Coordinates of all heavy atoms in Angstrom, one line a residue:
F826 N -19.0 -5.0 -13.3 CA -18.7 -3.8 -12.6 C -17.4 -4.0 -11.8 O -17.1 -5.0 -11.3 CB -19.8 -3.3 -11.7 CG -21.1 -3.0 -12.5 CD1 -22.0 -3.9 -12.8 CD2 -21.3 -1.6 -12.9 CE1 -23.2 -3.6 -13.5 CE2 -22.4 -1.3 -13.6 CZ -23.4 -2.3 -13.9
L827 N -16.6 -2.9 -11.7 CA -15.6 -2.8 -10.7 C -16.0 -1.7 -9.7 O -16.7 -0.8 -10.0 CB -14.3 -2.3 -11.4 CG -13.6 -3.4 -12.3 CD1 -12.6 -2.7 -13.2 CD2 -13.0 -4.5 -11.5
T828 N -15.5 -1.9 -8.4 CA -15.8 -0.9 -7.4 C -14.6 0.1 -7.3 O -13.5 -0.3 -7.2 CB -16.0 -1.7 -6.0 OG1 -17.0 -2.7 -6.2 CG2 -16.5 -0.7 -5.0
H829 N -14.9 1.4 -7.3 CA -14.0 2.4 -7.2 C -14.0 3.0 -5.8 O -15.1 3.5 -5.4 CB -14.2 3.5 -8.2 CG -14.0 3.1 -9.6 ND1 -13.3 3.8 -10.6 CD2 -14.5 1.9 -10.3 CE1 -13.3 3.1 -11.7 NE2 -14.1 2.0 -11.6
F830 N -12.9 3.0 -5.1 CA -12.9 3.6 -3.7 C -12.0 4.8 -3.7 O -10.9 4.8 -4.2 CB -12.2 2.5 -2.8 CG -13.0 1.3 -2.6 CD1 -12.8 0.2 -3.5 CD2 -13.9 1.1 -1.5 CE1 -13.6 -0.9 -3.3 CE2 -14.6 0.0 -1.3 CZ -14.5 -1.1 -2.3
T831 N -12.6 5.9 -3.2 CA -11.9 7.3 -3.3 C -11.9 7.9 -2.0 O -12.9 7.9 -1.2 CB -12.7 8.2 -4.3 OG1 -12.8 7.5 -5.6 CG2 -12.0 9.5 -4.5
N832 N -10.8 8.5 -1.6 CA -10.6 9.3 -0.4 C -11.1 10.8 -0.6 O -10.5 11.4 -1.4 CB -9.2 9.2 0.1 CG -9.0 10.0 1.4 OD1 -9.9 10.3 2.1 ND2 -7.8 10.4 1.7
N833 N -12.1 11.2 0.1 CA -12.5 12.6 0.0 C -12.1 13.4 1.2 O -12.6 14.6 1.3 CB -14.1 12.6 -0.1 CG -14.5 11.9 -1.3 OD1 -14.3 12.2 -2.4 ND2 -15.3 10.8 -1.1
N834 N -11.2 12.9 2.1 CA -10.8 13.6 3.3 C -9.4 14.3 3.0 O -8.6 13.7 2.3 CB -10.7 12.7 4.5 CG -10.5 13.4 5.8 OD1 -9.4 13.9 6.1 ND2 -11.5 13.5 6.6
P835 N -9.1 15.5 3.5 CA -7.8 16.1 3.3 C -6.7 15.2 3.9 O -5.5 15.3 3.4 CB -7.9 17.4 4.0 CG -9.3 17.7 4.1 CD -10.0 16.4 4.2
N836 N -7.0 14.4 4.9 CA -6.0 13.5 5.5 C -6.0 12.1 4.8 O -6.9 11.7 4.1 CB -6.3 13.3 7.0 CG -6.3 14.6 7.7 OD1 -5.3 15.4 7.6 ND2 -7.3 14.8 8.6
K837 N -5.0 11.4 5.1 CA -4.8 10.0 4.5 C -5.9 9.1 5.1 O -6.2 9.1 6.3 CB -3.4 9.5 4.7 CG -2.3 10.2 4.0 CD -0.9 9.6 4.3 CE 0.2 10.4 3.8 NZ 0.2 10.3 2.3
R838 N -6.4 8.2 4.3 CA -7.4 7.3 4.7 C -7.1 5.9 4.1 O -6.4 5.8 3.1 CB -8.8 7.7 4.3 CG -9.4 8.9 5.1 CD -9.6 8.5 6.5 NE -10.2 9.5 7.3 CZ -9.4 10.4 8.1 NH1 -8.2 10.3 8.1 NH2 -10.1 11.3 8.8
R839 N -7.5 4.8 4.8 CA -7.1 3.5 4.4 C -8.3 2.6 4.1 O -9.4 2.7 4.7 CB -6.2 2.8 5.4 CG -4.9 3.4 5.6 CD -4.0 2.6 6.6 NE -2.6 3.0 6.4 CZ -1.6 2.2 6.5 NH1 -1.8 0.9 6.7 NH2 -0.3 2.6 6.3
V840 N -8.1 1.7 3.1 CA -9.1 0.7 2.8 C -8.4 -0.6 2.5 O -7.3 -0.6 2.0 CB -10.0 1.1 1.5 CG1 -9.0 1.4 0.3 CG2 -11.0 0.1 1.1
A841 N -9.0 -1.7 3.0 CA -8.3 -3.0 2.9 C -9.1 -4.0 2.1 O -10.3 -4.0 2.0 CB -8.2 -3.6 4.4
F842 N -8.3 -4.9 1.4 CA -8.8 -5.9 0.5 C -8.2 -7.3 0.8 O -7.1 -7.4 1.2 CB -8.6 -5.6 -0.9 CG -9.1 -4.2 -1.3 CD1 -8.2 -3.1 -1.3 CD2 -10.4 -4.0 -1.7 CE1 -8.6 -1.9 -1.6 CE2 -10.8 -2.7 -2.1 CZ -9.9 -1.6 -2.0
A843 N -9.0 -8.3 0.6 CA -8.5 -9.7 0.8 C -9.2 -10.6 -0.2 O -10.3 -10.4 -0.6 CB -8.7 -10.2 2.2
A844 N -8.5 -11.7 -0.5 CA -9.1 -12.7 -1.5 C -9.9 -13.6 -0.7 O -9.9 -13.7 0.5 CB -7.9 -13.4 -2.1
P845 N -10.8 -14.3 -1.4 CA -11.8 -15.3 -0.7 C -11.3 -16.6 -0.3 O -12.0 -17.4 0.2 CB -12.9 -15.4 -1.8 CG -12.2 -15.2 -3.1 CD -11.1 -14.3 -2.9
Y846 N -10.0 -16.9 -0.5 CA -9.4 -18.2 -0.1 C -8.0 -18.0 0.3 O -7.4 -17.0 0.0 CB -9.6 -19.3 -1.2 CG -8.9 -18.9 -2.5 CD1 -7.6 -19.3 -2.8 CD2 -9.6 -18.2 -3.5 CE1 -7.0 -19.0 -4.0 CE2 -9.0 -17.9 -4.7 CZ -7.7 -18.3 -4.9 OH -7.1 -18.0 -6.2
P847 N -7.4 -19.0 1.1 CA -6.1 -18.8 1.7 C -5.0 -18.7 0.5 O -5.1 -19.3 -0.5 CB -5.9 -20.1 2.5 CG -7.3 -20.5 2.8 CD -8.1 -20.2 1.6
G848 N -4.0 -17.8 0.9 CA -3.0 -17.6 -0.1 C -2.2 -16.4 0.2 O -2.2 -15.9 1.3
H849 N -1.5 -15.9 -0.8 CA -0.6 -14.7 -0.6 C -1.0 -13.6 -1.7 O -1.5 -13.9 -2.8 CB 0.9 -15.0 -0.8 CG 1.4 -15.9 0.3 ND1 1.1 -17.2 0.5 CD2 2.1 -15.5 1.4 CE1 1.7 -17.6 1.6 NE2 2.3 -16.6 2.2
I850 N -0.8 -12.4 -1.3 CA -1.1 -11.3 -2.1 C 0.3 -10.8 -2.7 O 1.2 -10.5 -2.0 CB -1.8 -10.1 -1.4 CG1 -3.2 -10.6 -0.9 CG2 -1.9 -8.9 -2.2 CD1 -3.9 -9.7 0.0
L851 N 0.3 -10.6 -4.0 CA 1.5 -10.1 -4.7 C 1.4 -8.7 -5.0 O 0.5 -8.3 -5.9 CB 1.8 -10.9 -6.0 CG 1.9 -12.4 -5.8 CD1 2.1 -13.1 -7.2 CD2 3.0 -12.9 -4.9
P852 N 2.2 -7.8 -4.5 CA 2.2 -6.3 -4.9 C 3.2 -6.2 -6.1 O 4.3 -6.5 -6.0 CB 2.8 -5.7 -3.6 CG 3.6 -6.6 -2.9 CD 3.1 -8.1 -3.3
I853 N 2.6 -5.7 -7.1 CA 3.4 -5.6 -8.4 C 3.4 -4.2 -8.9 O 2.3 -3.6 -9.2 CB 2.9 -6.6 -9.4 CG1 3.0 -8.0 -9.0 CG2 3.6 -6.4 -10.8 CD1 2.5 -9.0 -9.9
D854 N 4.6 -3.5 -9.0 CA 4.7 -2.2 -9.6 C 4.8 -2.4 -11.1 O 5.8 -2.8 -11.6 CB 5.9 -1.5 -9.1 CG 5.9 0.0 -9.5 OD1 5.2 0.4 -10.5 OD2 6.6 0.8 -8.8
L855 N 3.7 -2.1 -11.8 CA 3.7 -2.3 -13.2 C 4.8 -1.5 -14.0 O 5.3 -2.0 -15.0 CB 2.3 -2.0 -13.8 CG 1.1 -2.9 -13.4 CD1 -0.2 -2.3 -13.9 CD2 1.4 -4.3 -13.8
A856 N 5.1 -0.3 -13.5 CA 6.2 0.4 -14.1 C 7.5 -0.2 -14.1 O 8.3 -0.1 -15.0 CB 6.3 1.8 -13.5
E857 N 7.7 -1.1 -13.1 CA 9.0 -1.8 -12.9 C 9.1 -3.0 -13.8 O 10.2 -3.5 -14.0 CB 9.3 -2.2 -11.5 CG 9.5 -1.0 -10.6 CD 9.8 -1.4 -9.1 OE1 9.8 -2.6 -8.8 OE2 10.1 -0.5 -8.3
I858 N 8.0 -3.5 -14.3 CA 8.0 -4.7 -15.2 C 7.7 -4.4 -16.6 O 7.3 -5.4 -17.4 CB 7.1 -5.8 -14.6 CG1 5.7 -5.4 -14.6 CG2 7.5 -6.2 -13.2 CD1 4.7 -6.4 -14.3
G859 N 7.7 -3.2 -17.0 CA 7.4 -2.9 -18.4 C 6.0 -2.5 -18.7 O 5.7 -2.3 -19.8
G860 N 5.2 -2.3 -17.6 CA 3.9 -1.8 -17.8 C 2.8 -2.8 -18.2 O 1.7 -2.4 -18.4
E861 N 3.1 -4.1 -18.2 CA 2.1 -5.1 -18.6 C 2.3 -6.4 -17.8 O 3.4 -6.9 -17.6 CB 2.3 -5.4 -20.1 CG 1.2 -6.3 -20.6 CD 1.3 -6.6 -22.1 OE1 2.1 -5.9 -22.7 OE2 0.5 -7.4 -22.6
L862 N 1.2 -7.0 -17.4 CA 1.2 -8.3 -16.7 C 0.0 -9.1 -17.1 O -1.1 -8.6 -17.2 CB 1.1 -8.1 -15.2 CG 1.1 -9.3 -14.3 CD1 2.6 -9.9 -14.3 CD2 0.6 -9.0 -12.9
T863 N 0.3 -10.3 -17.5 CA -0.9 -11.3 -17.8 C -1.0 -12.2 -16.7 O -0.1 -12.8 -16.2 CB -0.5 -12.0 -19.1 OG1 -0.2 -11.1 -20.2 CG2 -1.7 -12.9 -19.6

């Protein structure tokens, strides 16, 4: 299963995620790299 988080409020709302061990998070816009990442 994957967990789906949805905002049901007319205003903006935030949800945060983190990995289980030290490191860095890479934000990747798939549209800018051709739509595919392995």
